[in-house]
């Protein structure tokens, strides 16, 4: 059966009157439209905090996120750090400077079974425990800010 549109070509409202064919006009709008008028009781019962501003969102330029690395990733990427010049390998011991590599914090997820001496500004207690159990060490180097403050 053909659509009614063909039948109503040339007629402005297509048989729907002046306002009935404009979106959801007969029910007061889509979604939460008209909560101040037609849906006032609904808003008062179920969405009391609809109007107004609540909370504060910090601008993204002010938010700093730590760049982190897990100990399992440290083991996988040890040779890569050597190739990039952020680490050296003495026998079976890796000496890695994560601060130079741009890593802010070392986390303790995963396992490590190679000897690694790490220089990093922050490390979780679990990460330090796992690296020392594998025969390595963690040097929590002080940040540049603290050194500049002491001078």
């Amino acid at each position: 059966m053909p659509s009614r549109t063909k039948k109503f070509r040339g007629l402005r409202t297509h048989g729907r009157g002046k306002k009935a064919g404009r979106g959801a006009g007969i029910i007061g709008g889509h979604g939460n439209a008209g909560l101040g008028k037609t849906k006032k009781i609904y808003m008062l019962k179920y969405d009391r905090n609809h109007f107004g501003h609540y909370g504060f969102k910090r601008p993204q330029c002010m938010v700093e996120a730590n760049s982190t690395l897990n100990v399992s990733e440290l083991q996988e990427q040890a040779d890569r750090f050597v190739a990039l010049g952020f680490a050296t390998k003495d026998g079976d011991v890796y000496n890695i400077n994560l601060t130079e590599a741009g890593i802010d914090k070392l986390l303790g997820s995963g396992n490590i079974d190679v000897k690694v001496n790490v220089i990093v500004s922050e490390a979780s207690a679990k990460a330090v425990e796992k690296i020392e159990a594998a025969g390595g060490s963690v040097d929590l180097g002080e940040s540049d800010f603290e050194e500049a403050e002491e001078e």
Side-chain angles (χ1 to χ4, degrees):
M1 199 154 152
S3 70
R4 289 167 44 97
T5 306
K6 234 179 221 180
K7 176 171 134 180
F8 288 113
R9 281 282 181 237
L11 299 175
R12 183 175 182 173
T13 58
H14 283 233
R16 292 188 210 100
K18 188 174 178 184
K19 289 188 177 178
R22 302 180 185 175
I26 201 78
I27 61 166
H30 286 291
N32 289 332
L35 284 184
K37 295 184 177 189
T38 58
K39 301 175 184 175
K40 188 88 169 184
I41 298 300
Y42 175 85
M43 186 265 298
L44 291 173
K45 278 177 75 173
Y46 302 112
D47 196 8
R48 302 272 323 204
N49 298 325
H50 180 77
F51 294 108
H53 298 284
Y54 300 95
F56 177 77
K57 183 170 178 4
R58 291 182 67 196
Q60 287 300 302
C61 63
M62 302 298 293
V63 177
E64 286 185 25
N66 280 342
S67 176
T68 60
L69 189 76
N70 286 312
V71 291
S72 60
E73 295 169 345
L74 182 67
Q75 178 173 341
E76 293 168 5
Q77 297 183 10
D79 292 323
R80 184 172 157 263
F81 283 126
V82 172
L84 292 173
F86 300 122
T88 58
K89 186 174 181 184
D90 300 329
D92 62 340
V93 179
Y94 289 94
N95 298 311
I96 302 175
N97 191 337
L98 290 179
T99 308
E100 285 181 6
I103 307 295
D104 299 322
K105 188 168 184 177
L106 184 64
L107 301 176
S109 177
N111 296 316
I112 187 166
D113 56 1
V114 295
K115 292 182 181 178
V116 179
N117 298 327
V118 181
I119 299 172
V120 67
S121 56
E122 291 181 64
S124 68
K126 194 177 257 189
V128 173
E129 177 186 318
K130 287 182 179 183
I131 287 178
E132 288 176 351
S137 67
V138 177
D139 179 20
L140 298 175
E142 308 200 357
S143 67
D144 298 333
F145 177 74
E146 291 173 1
E147 292 173 7
E149 197 174 62
E150 291 173 1
E151 292 175 358

